[in-house]
Amino acid sequence: MTTKIGIRQLVEFVLRSGDLNEIKNSQNTAQNGARIHRRLQKERSKNQDYESEVYLKTEVTMNDNQYLIAGRADGITSNDKKTTIEEIKTSDQTFDDLSTNTLELYWGQVKVYGYIILQEHPELNHVALQLTYFRVSTEEITTTEKTFDRSELQKFFQGLIDEYEYWLTLRAKLRKTRNGSIKKLSFPFPKFRAGQHELAAAVYKTVVYQKRLFVEAPTGTGKTISTLFPTIKAMGEEKIQRLFYLTAKQSTRRVAEEAINLMSEKGLKLKSITLTAKDKIRFPEQDVPPEEDPYMIDYYDRLKPALADILTNEDAITREVIETYAKKHTVDPFEFSLDISLFCDVIICDYNYLFDPLVYLQRFFIEKDTDNFFLIDEVHNLVSRSRSMYSATVSDTAIAGLLKEAKAIKNKASEDFQKHLKKVRRVFNQMKKVLKEENRQEKITSSAPDKLIDAMGKFNDFMGEWMQDQKPSDFLDNAKNFFFDCLTFVKIGALFDDSYKTRIFLDEKNLVVKQLCLDSSHFIDQSLDLGLGAVLFSATLSPMDYYQSVLGGVDKSLAYQLPSPFPVQNQDILITQYIQTTYRQRQLSQNDIVKSLKTMIDAKTGNYLFFFPSYSYLKQIKTAFENEYPEVIVVSQQGEMDNLARQEFLDQFQEDPQTTLVGFCVLGGIFSEGIDLRGNRLIGVAIVSVGLPGLSPENNLIRDYYDSKNGHGFEYAYQMPGMNNVLQAAGRLIRGSHDCGIILLLDQRFGSSRYTRLFPQHWQNYLRIKSQQQLTAAVNNFWEGKAK
């Protein structure tokens, strides 16, 4: 088996040295760089001896294994007199400001191309190497040419291979140990739960057949271990080499860590790492400019000893472990975690590391790699998250303040800043003028805001250089914040297509411009295609065809739905047909809701959660409930709750309570998913309304888009997101085989076929309740039946 190694990957790993300096990192986008490459290559192609994007490869033996060293040269000009290989680089800095190491990396890449060309053409004794540097902000081109002979390039290439072989040997040893342990690994529980073995088999086949599988696995099916175990078994057979476990929440990342630890206790030996967001894994002493940060200065000179240390001594590389070794070796913990991940078998991380076009892991996801496989947990969250990832918003709110701050600074740099920012303001003002002339507050268009994107692109080019020369200050921080907003807006603008709308509106005196991605399915599809295959799973994934449609499935995907492993008689699903919660009916139905909630809790002392579609509705019913029944102990979710406040809220829900406790919560909030109140810590969940998202111009745009695409606009924009929140909240009730309780759905719409067809299989015993008296009887009958 021959393993492929990218030329750029090889060169950067071996030759990179010096500081990790964020300020000097180019803000040039990949799309912009590609555009510049194509432009220069088109000019060169007028020469008939020129060829662009030349694929070059050579095989080497390292650690008794074959490796293919490969990459694409930007251009080669070859004739009887001379062969010249060109490498094109684009950035914001002047050529003279490029660091020595940056130039070494640039030249290193083209020197490998030169080595391969001389290997392929023994008749040549030397080759010309040309570095073409394009400065984006000024379009200034600097060209440097050097000639190397065969012995020079042979010595250089062999030096790269000699150093890289140590790391390949280390990785090979780790994989050999890993594969041996996996072959002996058995399922880490005495037996499979109902449905677990079938799910594990389906996941394994998905890896083997290189497919994409959507799975609805209700609470209790053990979906984490049922997806991780078979994928790791496939890894032991070298069907894949690396597994990404992607999720939206910290809590589910911990569940994945626990599952791997459980298998490790049974003999599994592999390297797993959990990636933590950059702003959460920085040390306090790093609150200084990068050029003064001790963890960034000479980072690359200390990196390799730090890598060798942690990879030799640790298997489960969590945030705490990363921070320990980062302190020990004085390396930036976030960047260190990314460098460690190159040697890890399982990478646990947030969705954005694969899907977000702004922060995805470039070291893994520049091109397709069939060594990679994706497990995507709680995937229902990806629908709204991905739309946000591919959307961008800017406003002119900050411009006036920035210009005022800059005006107070009397120097040339400040004058330049004002000049460039005023060009951006001019475009905003032109857009405001159009709204005013048309006598409107808002405008929706299918076209990208090209004039604003162009103006911001030029502003970004200016800022890339300008920021490097500024001393730290509040003004610089404010300017950077606006710059990053512009940078995001320009990058998203490069993706604008038929799935986008531009929304332009006035917010008081300020203009807001949004590039809204209404359908991110094709972007998700492209991201998933970067690996061998994927399993996308959640406890609630009904209706399956909806989730396949919006999450990049359909033609490329399979579907699998497991039944609940718990007895259906352990819960009652009760729908109050006599209650309407539409906005106009809320005041009229208030008393019926309050009485119904009291009926629910009167039947049995215990802990209950009541869910509402908004804080305002929650407050309305809570106030009425407390006024009517002041003796009931009530707690309520607040708008802002940190981890401590969240835990204090949950800690009040104790086992075997002597008095009833009611928690008022918001659908789609922090207590409607990801919490686990097992046993009798929770015996009832009431959900008031069908949870439709609030009417808004942006939700209406999603509705109109899908109406034109498939005729299901209301369902896709409102009904499905609302029902997902309902199912998630209801899922807090039954967490184990001995749990039991009542789910009370307070809205007559739940009883219509439009909603009952969306109910999961284990909800099919629902009962429509037509009166308060019938509700009292149904609740009492349920608990009397459990007492027998």
Side-chain angles (χ1 to χ4, degrees), residues 600 606-611 653-657 661-663 671 675-686 729-735 739-742 783:
M600 181 185 195
N607 300 324
Y608 297 83
L609 288 176
F610 299 163
F611 289 95
F653 291 76
Q654 295 293 319
E655 290 186 24
D656 304 319
L661 173 67
V662 173
F671 299 117
I675 65 167
D676 210 10
L677 299 173
R678 289 182 176 271
N680 63 9
R681 290 183 66 193
L682 184 67
I683 63 168
V685 169
R732 300 313 95 207
L733 182 63
I734 305 296
R735 311 298 295 175
D739 296 1
C740 62
I742 294 172
W783 288 117

Side-chain angles (χ1 to χ4, degrees), residues 459-516:
F459 176 73
N460 294 343
D461 292 342
F462 160 76
M463 286 291 289
E465 179 183 354
W466 181 85
M467 288 188 300
Q468 297 177 41
D469 300 326
Q470 306 309 305
K471 294 180 179 179
S473 67
D474 289 342
F475 168 61
L476 178 60
D477 290 341
N478 293 336
K480 276 185 179 179
N481 289 337
F482 184 71
F483 161 67
F484 287 128
D485 286 344
C486 293
L487 195 67
T488 298
F489 198 77
V490 171
K491 288 181 176 180
I492 294 300
L495 304 174
F496 201 101
D497 61 15
D498 291 343
S499 67
Y500 278 81
K501 294 286 187 185
T502 300
R503 182 176 176 229
I504 305 164
F505 63 96
L506 288 170
D507 181 11
E508 296 182 353
K509 293 183 179 180
N510 300 310
L511 188 75
V512 179
V513 184
K514 291 189 174 186
Q515 296 179 97
L516 296 168

Side-chain angles (χ1 to χ4, degrees), residues 57-91:
K57 63 182 182 354
T58 187
E59 284 200 6
V60 298
T61 302
M62 292 184 281
N63 187 38
D64 299 324
N65 290 305
Q66 289 297 111
Y67 293 89
L68 182 71
I69 311 296
R72 290 189 182 277
D74 291 326
I76 297 179
T77 304
S78 185
N79 53 45
D80 293 341
K81 298 179 180 179
K82 184 180 180 182
T83 296
T84 303
I85 305 173
E86 181 182 35
E87 178 66 16
I88 301 170
K89 296 295 182 183
T90 63
S91 188

